Amino acid sequence: MTFIRMSLSLAAVACCASVVLSDMAPQYHPVAHPSPYKIPAKPYSYEYAVNDEYLGNQFRVKQQSDGEVVNGSYQVKLPDGRIQDVSYTSDHENGFVADVTFQGEAKHPVPAPPAPYGGN
C-alpha cells in the first residue's frame, strides 16, 4: 500500500510541476524597430581581388554607391577556362540590371587515361 501511495504522490507532483513549468515558459514577442523612419544609405566604395596561380583561381570585384545607386562589376575565371565579366547597376527605380559577357572559348579538359592495372 505504501508503494502505491508513494507512486500516486510522485505522479501528482510530476503533473503539477509540468503545469507550473509550462506557465513559466518564455514568451516571445516581435521587437519593434527603434526608429519609425528609414535610415538613409551612405556612400561607399570597395575593391577585392584574388589571383592564385597555384590553384588557378582568379576573381575580382569592385563596387561603389553614392547612397542612391549601386554600380559594380566582377570578373571570375570559370572552370572551363573562360573569363566571365559582369557589370551591374542597382537602384530602387530599376532594380538590379546586369550585363554579362564572356572572354575566351570553353575548353573542357581531356580526361586522363586510366592508370595501368598492376595485377596478374
Side-chain angles (χ1 to χ4, degrees):
M1 283 305 259
T2 306
F3 177 72
I4 293 174
R5 284 186 200 155
M6 193 163 91
S7 297
L8 290 175
S9 298
L10 288 176
V13 168
C15 179
C16 292
S18 67
V19 170
V20 171
L21 291 177
S22 66
D23 291 340
M24 294 176 15
Q27 301 295 315
Y28 298 102
H29 304 286
V31 177
H33 193 277
S35 61
Y37 61 91
K38 183 179 175 185
I39 299 171
K42 296 184 180 183
Y44 67 89
S45 177
Y46 78 89
E47 247 181 279
Y48 180 77
V50 171
N51 189 8
D52 185 349
E53 293 177 11
Y54 180 75
L55 294 175
N57 293 332
Q58 185 178 344
F59 179 79
R60 175 185 59 80
V61 65
K62 182 178 183 179
Q63 186 174 10
Q64 63 273 345
S65 173
D66 62 1
E68 298 289 324
V69 179
V70 177
N71 294 303
S73 64
Y74 67 88
Q75 184 181 66
V76 63
K77 184 176 180 184
L78 300 173
D80 63 10
R82 296 178 298 164
I83 303 289
Q84 180 183 10
D85 286 308
V86 179
S87 298
Y88 59 89
T89 301
S90 181
D91 61 24
H92 288 286
E93 273 185 43
N94 302 312
F96 182 83
V97 179
D99 178 36
V100 182
T101 59
F102 297 93
Q103 300 174 22
E105 300 257 344
K107 296 177 187 160
H108 298 284
V110 177
Y117 179 70
N120 289 6

